[in-house]
Amino acid sequence: MAAEGRDGQKASVDPKLLELLACPLTKGPLTWDAERGELISRVAKLAYPVRDGIPIMLPSEARTISAEDLLSPPRLSGPA
């Protein structure tokens, strides 16, 4: 399931912005999951949503990642 913005376009994150962002809890790196439109913190086991191209870096808005999600390789991808 691909994440979509309000205009029906796939959500994406600017690669330069991704280089600057870090998990607010662990201060560790994030990876982009293009399929779900989320920024993944593997250390914190959280997936932060991206809405209309804006990363929502609030732990209260993040989805907890299951052990099954962590075992699968991250789906790294830049914007299309």
Side-chain angles (χ1 to χ4, degrees), residues 19 29-31 36-39 44 55 57 64-65 71 73 76 78:
E19 290 177 20
L30 298 167
T31 56
R36 292 190 175 187
E38 298 173 325
L39 291 168
M57 303 303 297
T64 301
I65 299 173
L71 292 176
L76 302 177

Side-chain angles (χ1 to χ4, degrees), residues 3 7-8 11 20 23 25 31 34 45 47 55 57 61 74:
D7 57 2
L20 297 173
C23 174
L25 295 177
T31 56
K45 298 180 181 128
M57 303 303 297
E61 292 286 320

Side-chain angles (χ1 to χ4, degrees), residues 3-49:
E4 294 185 358
R6 282 188 206 156
D7 57 2
Q9 299 281 329
K10 282 189 178 179
S12 65
V13 175
D14 184 307
K16 292 193 186 286
L17 178 61
L18 184 56
E19 290 177 20
L20 297 173
L21 290 174
C23 174
L25 295 177
T26 68
K27 310 300 185 237
L30 298 167
T31 56
W32 171 241
D33 181 342
E35 186 176 316
R36 292 190 175 187
E38 298 173 325
L39 291 168
I40 307 298
S41 172
R42 293 178 71 78
V43 175
K45 298 180 181 128
L46 292 174
Y48 296 95

Side-chain angles (χ1 to χ4, degrees), residues 61-78:
E61 292 286 320
R63 175 178 67 85
T64 301
I65 299 173
S66 68
E68 183 180 294
D69 288 338
L70 287 174
L71 292 176
S72 64
R75 295 175 295 264
L76 302 177
S77 170

